[in-house]
Amino acid sequence: MAEKTFPISTQALERLAEQYGTPFYLYDEAAIRAHIRRFTQAFSIFSSFREYFAVKACPNPYILKILASEGCGADCSSLPELILAEQSGMTGEYVMFTSNETPAQEYIYANLLGAILNLDDITHIDFVAETLGALPELICFRYNPGPLKDGNAIIGKPEEAKYGLTYEQIIEAYARCASLGVQRFGLHTMVASNELNPAYFIDTAEMLFKLAADLQEKDGVRIEFVDLGGGIGIPYRPEQQAIDYEYLAHGIRAVYDRIIVPAGLDPLSIRWECGRPITGPYGWLVTRALHEKHIYREYIGVDASMADLMRPGMYGAYHEVTVAGKEHEAKDHVYDIVGSLCENCDKFAVQRALPRINRGDLLIIHDAGAHGRAMGFNYNAKLRCGELLLREDGSVMQIRRRETIDDYFATLDFTGLEHFS
């Protein structure tokens, strides 16, 4: 069972709420560091290992700089993400550029950064060669196994996904790149999201290891690294269990020894591009109860909304909710916890058993440290909340201020409005 905890006292939380206003995100630096060290240690059984943190999960340079100091690289999908990685000290082959439908200028910037280009389609070979004048020394391709591999409930069936190359295209793509002078090669896939079954990733590794052996046999291409993608889940629900990294690493190692070593591909570097497990459990959305409503259901209205955390409204995703200072009280009330967006799906919890909530109580929404603030939006002209970082010494710093009305209007030009008809 995954215990849901919070790193500061109710009194300290109230002081933060008074100083910064609610809602806000809070991240725990010490917990993030401890987790990435445990993750890295588990996979140290391979001769070369690297985690490329998925920037999309938590695109804040302070978080990225913490991870960079722990030896992580960055998995980027856009020009701003590349800039965030660069500003956080991640450059060269510590950056994996895994994009799709990519504009030319983004390939140019990634190449100038020395990033690994992870191409999403066979037609991108010519596009990149035309854009850069030549293909880079190192190229990676994203593999889509189609019906050969089941997706999970969140990411869907691989054959229905827009990402990656088929098996036949993969074989052709590496042969073409080798004929065009590419010297080094990586291999990548991403076929699951928020998956808690370690066997799924062991099977994925086996699939990629077999493909690496096929590429050597058919194209004479030696794959130097395999990127298993992301997709490792976290136990959002208290009754769920986190993945045992040591068990997973040893399971992948057994497949490695069975396929990679006899194929003469050892040493082969193992890479991940996880985001959710690295920061997800160590970020919380803090919001204050503003209203209560008693109609066909009991509602608690809070000052956060789906614009701050869209996962529950968009996916029906579960996030544990606790009431600050009432963690040990009886859960003898049933509420829908809702925001103020003009959408009925703007709910953080539905028919959730909780202690009695009073106006002014602070609510803590757990496991919001990945794909939380990052997925915020401005529908209904909602202003996105800020982010705070709990440092290892117990101090708290603001790492992103909350948006203002001026921010919202910054891209609009009102100067000619009076003459517009």
Side-chain angles (χ1 to χ4, degrees):
M1 179 170 287
E3 183 183 5
K4 302 300 179 182
T5 60
F6 190 65
I8 61 175
S9 69
T10 300
Q11 294 74 22
L13 183 60
E14 282 286 1
R15 290 194 293 270
L16 289 179
E18 288 296 321
Q19 181 177 357
Y20 295 103
T22 53
F24 59 80
Y25 277 87
L26 178 69
Y27 306 100
D28 185 344
E29 177 183 357
I32 291 171
R33 288 188 183 276
H35 186 98
I36 190 58
R37 289 170 186 171
R38 183 163 60 86
F39 186 76
T40 302
Q41 178 61 35
F43 288 93
S44 66
I45 61 173
F46 295 96
S47 61
S48 177
F49 169 72
R50 183 174 298 159
E51 152 69 355
Y52 290 95
F53 178 71
V55 175
K56 62 180 176 287
C58 193
N60 188 294
Y62 290 88
I63 300 297
L64 296 181
K65 195 161 188 179
I66 289 169
L67 295 171
S69 73
E70 296 291 341
C72 292
D75 178 74
C76 301
S77 299
S78 68
L79 179 56
E81 288 188 355
L82 288 168
I83 294 171
L84 277 171
E86 182 182 21
Q87 292 295 315
S88 305
M90 300 169 175
T91 58
E93 293 183 16
Y94 275 82
V95 178
M96 176 77 78
F97 188 48
T98 305
S99 59
N100 63 94
E101 316 310 332
T102 308
Q105 67 268 24
E106 299 197 0
Y107 277 133
I108 292 170
Y109 196 93
N111 189 57
L112 290 172
L113 201 62
I116 300 169
L117 301 188
N118 185 22
L119 304 188
D120 189 60
D121 191 72
I122 193 169
T123 62
H124 295 181
I125 297 172
D126 291 337
F127 186 83
V128 168
E130 292 166 6
T131 297
L132 303 181
L135 291 175
E137 176 192 13
L138 170 60
I139 282 286
C140 185
F141 286 98
R142 178 171 182 164
Y143 175 48
N144 182 330
L148 300 176
K149 175 75 174 172
D150 291 331
N152 69 356
I154 293 179
I155 208 167
K157 298 178 180 179
E159 64 265 35
E160 296 175 358
K162 67 175 182 174
Y163 308 109
L165 288 74
T166 67
Y167 178 88
E168 293 75 17
Q169 289 173 336
I170 280 280
I171 299 299
E172 179 185 348
Y174 283 92
R176 283 193 61 201
C177 286
S179 71
L180 293 170
V182 176
Q183 300 295 312
R184 302 167 58 206
F185 300 92
L187 178 62
H188 167 274
T189 198
M190 172 77 177
V191 287
S193 180
N194 195 33
E195 177 60 57
L196 287 171
N197 180 6
Y200 189 93
F201 299 104
I202 296 170
D203 290 345
T204 299
E206 180 173 10
M207 176 186 73
L208 286 184
F209 293 161
K210 287 179 177 178
L211 181 52
D214 286 352
L215 286 166
Q216 177 175 251
E217 179 184 348
K218 296 182 179 184
D219 292 346
V221 164
R222 190 188 192 285
I223 299 297
E224 69 175 65
F225 72 83
V226 162
D227 187 330
L228 297 168
I232 292 179
I234 61 175
Y236 285 101
R237 295 177 180 271
E239 68 271 17
Q240 293 176 319
Q241 293 288 341
I243 279 187
D244 183 330
Y245 294 145
E246 286 74 19
Y247 175 88
L248 175 58
H250 281 91
I252 293 173
R253 181 74 213 197
V255 178
Y256 181 101
D257 290 340
R258 177 163 52 86
I259 298 172
I260 294 299
V261 173
L265 292 173
D266 180 49
L268 176 73
S269 178
I270 301 299
R271 315 278 174 93
W272 285 99
E273 58 178 56
C274 292
R276 192 187 312 269
I278 308 303
T279 57
Y282 315 115
W284 300 263
L285 175 59
V286 177
T287 182
R288 195 178 291 279
L290 297 180
H291 300 285
E292 56 184 87
K293 182 171 183 148
H294 315 282
I295 48 172
Y296 307 104
R297 290 182 175 184
E298 300 293 300
Y299 293 92
I300 296 294
V302 297
D303 58 7
S305 74
M306 186 179 170
D308 298 303
L309 177 62
M310 71 186 301
R311 296 188 70 257
M314 183 177 183
Y315 302 125
Y318 182 96
H319 284 262
E320 185 76 352
V321 177
T322 54
V323 185
K326 299 181 179 180
E327 293 85 355
H328 303 295
E329 293 188 11
K331 297 180 179 181
D332 51 4
H333 289 68
V334 176
Y335 298 109
D336 282 13
I337 308 298
V338 301
S340 60
L341 213 65
C342 294
E343 294 288 341
N344 195 47
C345 61
D346 183 18
K347 298 182 178 182
F348 296 111
V350 176
Q351 293 296 276
R352 189 74 59 85
L354 291 165
R356 167 73 173 133
I357 299 174
N358 301 107
R359 287 179 58 196
D361 281 347
L362 289 174
L363 276 62
I364 301 163
I365 302 175
H366 294 256
D367 300 311
H371 310 289
R373 175 60 172 75
M375 296 177 75
F377 56 93
N378 289 123
Y379 181 64
N380 258 175
K382 293 297 181 180
L383 305 177
R384 288 171 289 190
C385 66
E387 296 174 298
L388 307 178
L389 179 65
L390 175 63
R391 301 303 310 276
E392 291 184 288
D393 63 4
S395 64
V396 174
M397 65 179 294
Q398 180 175 259
I399 57 174
R400 189 194 302 268
R401 64 166 174 80
R402 64 175 51 248
E403 287 185 334
T404 67
I405 291 175
D406 286 342
D407 293 327
Y408 181 80
F409 290 130
T411 56
L412 296 172
D413 184 1
F414 290 98
T415 57
L417 190 60
E418 60 189 48
H419 304 298
F420 179 78
S421 61

